[in-house]
Amino acid sequence: MDPETYATLYGPFQPVRHARDVRSGRPGVTVLAATLWAVVLMSLGWLTCLVIMVAVWGAAEGAPVGGLLLKWVLIVAGFFAALTALAFAPGVRGLAWANRLLLLGVLAFPAPVGFAVWAWIATG
């Protein structure tokens, strides 16, 4: 269709903006989501460091450590695969990115942080 004819019939072209394309405009949600994810990733970093230290000590004593490292990698990969699947689920996909990250951060928070605190206390 000719642009002039379109403008005459319907007015000037205005692209449609979807709700998920618009920023949430809530910096508090973004800061809270970033804080939750920072704590989750620090906890996973601490646990990964602990698993690597145990693997190095086990390897120094001659124990096979490949199974331990493989289990840890599979647990972390499964954790992030489940969160990714949830992030793209139909009900969650319609949320703004900040809200989606906050929801996923709240769901991801308890397991790694709980295990990290338990490991911190258990190792002294």
Side-chain angles (χ1 to χ4, degrees):
M1 178 180 281
D2 183 36
E4 292 177 13
T5 306
Y6 183 89
T8 304
L9 291 174
Y10 304 110
F13 173 72
Q14 296 178 351
V16 177
R17 296 183 65 177
H18 295 285
R20 64 177 163 236
D21 295 335
V22 180
R23 293 185 180 230
S24 68
R26 297 181 180 174
V29 172
T30 305
V31 169
L32 186 59
T35 304
L36 277 173
W37 276 105
V39 172
V40 167
L41 292 176
M42 284 190 305
S43 298
L44 283 173
W46 159 249
L47 290 171
T48 301
C49 179
L50 189 63
V51 166
I52 290 172
M53 282 194 305
V54 168
V56 167
W57 288 338
E61 290 187 4
V65 295
L68 173 71
L69 294 175
L70 180 62
K71 286 178 188 176
W72 178 249
V73 168
L74 289 176
I75 288 170
V76 173
F79 178 72
F80 281 110
L83 287 175
T84 302
L86 181 63
F88 293 105
V92 179
R93 191 174 37 198
L95 296 174
W97 270 106
N99 296 339
R100 192 184 313 184
L101 287 175
L102 180 61
L103 174 68
L104 294 174
V106 166
L107 293 175
F109 185 80
V113 174
F115 283 130
V117 168
W118 175 78
W120 188 277
I121 292 171
T123 57

